[in-house]
Amino acid sequence: MSPRLSRFRPRCARCNLPPHLCLCADIPRVETRTRFLLLQHMVEARKKSNTGQLAVLALANSRLLTYGAPDEALDTAVLSEPGTWLLFPDGPAAPPDVPAPRQLVVVDASWSQARRMTQRIAALRALPRLVLPPPEPGMLRLRDPTHPSGMSTLDAIARAVAVLEGPEAATPLEGLAALRVRRIADCGTLT
């Protein structure tokens, strides 16, 4: 089948995966004190490989905002709420004396898009950063990362939940991420 035709194969309207890979029945409901605000680049929303949507479906205390849509202006006021931090691997980590975040902004985009977004959105540049250590060797993934700290959005959120809320709170998200990788790898493709 041509690549152009494969774009039109049906996908689940909720998890965005092909029907034979659908994860909807396996998405846990995860309660957190921290609110997760996903700032998703508009191109990311259409990708079958997008894991940010799965994270939003699983996290009870989350919200998804779209960046870059020509007909939708980004309301940056929510990025300036007190207690808001940015989950981002580059840049200085927040000083240890800063109170834990009440809201964590997660940029859901490719590395180059995420970097440009943080440069272009002044409210993001001003936020304290939660910097995660690089992933452990052997972490289940579908592809090699382009950045040493690279991981899927769902994996990054699970690790942030472990840091902020404790490892047991992150377990359902880690399980969902691993299930997604195994299901796609067993099938051999995302199409």
Side-chain angles (χ1 to χ4, degrees):
M1 180 173 287
S2 81
R4 285 177 48 176
L5 290 178
S6 68
R7 288 186 319 193
F8 300 108
R9 286 189 177 164
R11 294 190 216 170
C12 172
R14 189 166 178 246
C15 73
N16 202 34
L17 289 170
H20 64 286
L21 298 175
C22 180
L23 289 170
C24 289
D26 301 299
I27 297 173
R29 193 71 178 154
V30 179
E31 301 285 339
T32 58
R33 292 179 308 276
T34 309
R35 179 180 185 201
F36 286 82
L37 180 62
L38 266 73
L39 184 54
Q40 185 177 70
H41 192 282
M42 68 173 202
V43 173
E44 195 69 21
R46 295 187 302 259
K47 292 182 179 178
K48 291 179 273 190
S49 60
N50 177 276
T51 61
Q53 180 65 30
L54 283 176
V56 169
L57 292 171
L59 290 165
N61 194 8
S62 66
R63 182 175 171 197
L64 178 71
L65 295 177
T66 303
Y67 173 80
D71 58 338
E72 187 179 330
L74 177 65
D75 178 12
T76 59
V78 71
L79 302 176
S80 302
E81 290 179 12
T84 299
W85 286 33
L86 175 65
L87 176 64
F88 205 77
D90 290 341
D97 59 336
V98 176
R102 288 185 285 175
Q103 174 172 269
L104 188 64
V105 177
V106 180
V107 178
D108 186 26
S110 70
W111 278 106
S112 59
Q113 290 165 341
R115 195 166 275 114
R116 281 192 305 271
M117 287 167 66
T118 57
Q119 291 168 351
R120 291 178 181 163
I121 303 171
L124 291 180
R125 290 192 311 267
L127 296 176
R129 293 186 181 198
L130 176 63
V131 178
L132 300 172
E136 305 81 25
M139 181 181 210
L140 282 178
R141 341 170 169 242
L142 291 175
R143 59 182 177 258
D144 292 329
T146 57
H147 187 281
S149 296
M151 62 189 89
S152 74
T153 300
L154 181 57
D155 286 323
I157 290 172
R159 295 184 80 207
V161 167
V163 168
L164 298 172
E165 314 262 337
E168 59 285 338
T171 299
L173 294 171
E174 292 166 349
L176 179 61
L179 175 63
R180 179 182 173 278
V181 170
R182 282 194 309 274
R183 193 168 286 176
I184 292 169
D186 288 348
C187 183
T189 182
L190 255 180
T191 59

